Amino acid sequence: QVQFVESGGGLVQPGGSLRLSCVASGRSLRGIAMGWYRQGPGKQRELVAWVSSEDTLHYEDAAKDRFTVSRDNAKNTMYLQMNSLKLEDTAVYLCRCWGLVNAWGQGTQVTVSS
């Protein structure tokens, strides 16, 4: 089975940046779709950005022009570079893979506050 460890979250002021990492262990995720989800306080979990099994990149509206998702298959790691952070970006950010292999990470907290 696959296990994920997310890191890189923290407290940042509005307009700031963070880079999240999601390291997978257990098997290679090359050719497996992976994505970043988030769940804000009192909100439903939502997809933010994802990398297809063919390594194409996709973004939901909330992430467009501010976030960049990437994957390093050699390191079995997915990243999320978040710039121009807003108060509403406050959430637990989780990584997930789906398709041939399905797994969720435990999440990393991102808090945007002045």
Side-chain angles (χ1 to χ4, degrees):
Q1 292 296 327
V2 174
Q3 291 186 327
F4 292 120
V5 176
E6 299 102 328
S7 62
L11 174 64
V12 63
Q13 292 185 339
S17 298
L18 285 173
R19 188 191 193 208
L20 307 183
S21 299
C22 171
V23 180
S25 61
R27 63 156 286 165
S28 171
L29 292 184
R30 186 185 300 270
I32 304 293
M34 296 178 66
W36 286 98
Y37 283 73
R38 69 183 183 186
Q39 186 163 16
K43 297 181 180 179
Q44 289 189 332
R45 189 171 293 184
E46 62 177 356
L47 179 63
V48 176
W50 56 286
V51 185
S52 75
S53 58
E54 298 171 345
D55 286 338
T56 57
L57 309 180
H58 304 268
Y59 300 91
E60 297 300 311
D61 288 345
K64 286 179 181 177
D65 301 324
R66 296 189 300 126
F67 295 0
T68 302
V69 65
S70 61
R71 172 159 71 177
D72 186 334
N73 288 319
K75 295 182 179 179
N76 227 21
T77 300
M78 179 176 62
Y79 303 96
L80 185 67
Q81 176 67 43
M82 305 188 295
N83 298 327
S84 302
L85 283 162
K86 304 176 181 179
L87 297 175
E88 53 264 40
D89 294 319
T90 294
V92 175
Y93 285 72
L94 310 98
C95 59
R96 178 196 177 197
C97 66
W98 60 87
L100 293 176
V101 181
N102 294 279
W104 284 91
Q106 294 298 308
T108 183
Q109 176 70 47
V110 171
T111 302
V112 184
S113 175
S114 56

